[in-house]
């Protein structure tokens, strides 16, 4: 249990990173929508994908690893046992859903967008409708991910009130 406070602190920091991503995501999406079919649109989309990718890798990996370690070193916690800690099991199930969304939907769609952005169009500033469509899909998927993160955050901070 010596490392428990350090790992819990790291877990909270990674969760905070994902919460911050929620707010930056809203701002960058707004900028992309305002600059549709303008010169800076490609760069904003590329920035959005890079930021989402970096935040996703760091925060999801960090939360996953620290969460697993916290469950392993704390004898009160278990994996997927609803009777012991329903809030924790709910968080674990939501994390699995989140990872499935990332691996099966977000990553392939973001790869399509990156690939299309790299292609030479007639005008280097214009973004195709296919890219717009896929970017909107990534927007929606990231919103779902952010909502799951917020729900997990709420489970974490409110579980003490409902036991």
């Amino acid at each position: 249990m010596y490392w428990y406070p350090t790992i819990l602190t790291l877990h909270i920091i990674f969760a905070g990173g994902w919460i911050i991503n929620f707010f930056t995501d809203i701002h960058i999406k707004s900028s992309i929508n305002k600059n549709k079919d303008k010169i800076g649109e490609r760069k904003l989309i590329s920035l959005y994908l890079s930021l989402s990718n970096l935040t996703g890798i760091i925060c999801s990996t960090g939360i996953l690893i620290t969460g697993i370690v916290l469950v392993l070193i704390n004898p009160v916690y278990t994996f997927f046992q609803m009777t012991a800690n329903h809030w924790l099991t709910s968080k674990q199930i939501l994390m699995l859903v989140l990872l499935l969304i990332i691996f099966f939907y977000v990553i392939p769609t973001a790869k399509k967008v990156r690939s299309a952005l790299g292609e030479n169009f007639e005008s280097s500033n214009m973004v195709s409708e296919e890219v717009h469509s896929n970017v909107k899909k990534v927007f929606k998927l990231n919103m779902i991910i952010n909502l799951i993160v917020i729900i997990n955050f709420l489970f974490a901070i409110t579980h003490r009130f409902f036991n």
Side-chain angles (χ1 to χ4, degrees):
M1 288 296 254
Y2 176 75
W3 289 99
Y4 189 84
T6 303
I7 294 169
L8 180 61
T9 301
L10 286 172
H11 192 73
I12 292 167
I13 289 169
F14 290 125
W18 234 341
I19 300 294
I20 290 169
N21 181 59
F22 174 75
F23 295 106
T24 58
D25 187 72
I26 292 169
H27 178 69
I28 295 174
K29 279 187 218 179
S30 171
S31 295
I32 290 170
N33 289 330
K34 286 178 187 173
N35 287 294
K36 186 174 180 179
D37 296 328
K38 293 182 182 173
I39 293 173
E41 183 181 22
R42 282 178 175 269
K43 288 183 180 181
L44 285 170
I45 292 171
S46 182
L47 173 68
Y48 178 77
L49 293 176
S50 296
L51 185 63
S52 295
N53 186 34
L54 183 63
T55 305
I57 289 170
I58 293 170
C59 295
S60 65
T61 304
I63 284 180
L64 187 62
I65 291 170
T66 57
I68 289 170
V69 172
L70 288 171
V71 170
L72 291 175
I73 64 175
N74 190 332
V76 177
Y77 297 150
T78 57
F79 291 105
F80 302 105
Q81 188 177 8
M82 206 44 113
T83 56
N85 295 300
H86 62 284
W87 65 273
L88 182 59
T89 303
S90 299
K91 284 174 58 73
Q92 292 166 348
I93 291 167
L94 286 172
M95 185 64 178
L96 286 177
V97 169
L98 189 143
L99 291 173
L100 290 171
I101 291 169
I102 289 170
F103 286 112
F104 290 110
Y105 297 103
V106 174
I107 291 173
T109 307
K111 283 183 180 180
K112 287 180 191 175
V113 172
R114 280 224 183 269
S115 174
L117 285 177
E119 295 174 2
N120 291 325
F121 296 103
E122 293 174 19
S123 171
S124 62
N125 294 327
M126 297 301 290
V127 176
S128 72
E129 281 306 312
E130 178 188 1
V131 171
H132 284 139
S133 167
N134 283 326
V135 167
K136 284 183 183 180
K137 186 175 178 184
V138 172
F139 284 175
K140 287 178 187 173
L141 291 168
N142 279 340
M143 183 54 69
I144 292 168
I145 289 169
N146 287 331
L147 289 174
I148 291 172
V149 169
I150 297 292
I151 291 168
N152 268 353
F153 179 75
L154 291 173
F155 275 133
I157 62 171
T158 62
H159 77 273
R160 288 175 183 84
F161 302 119
F162 298 109
N163 281 339

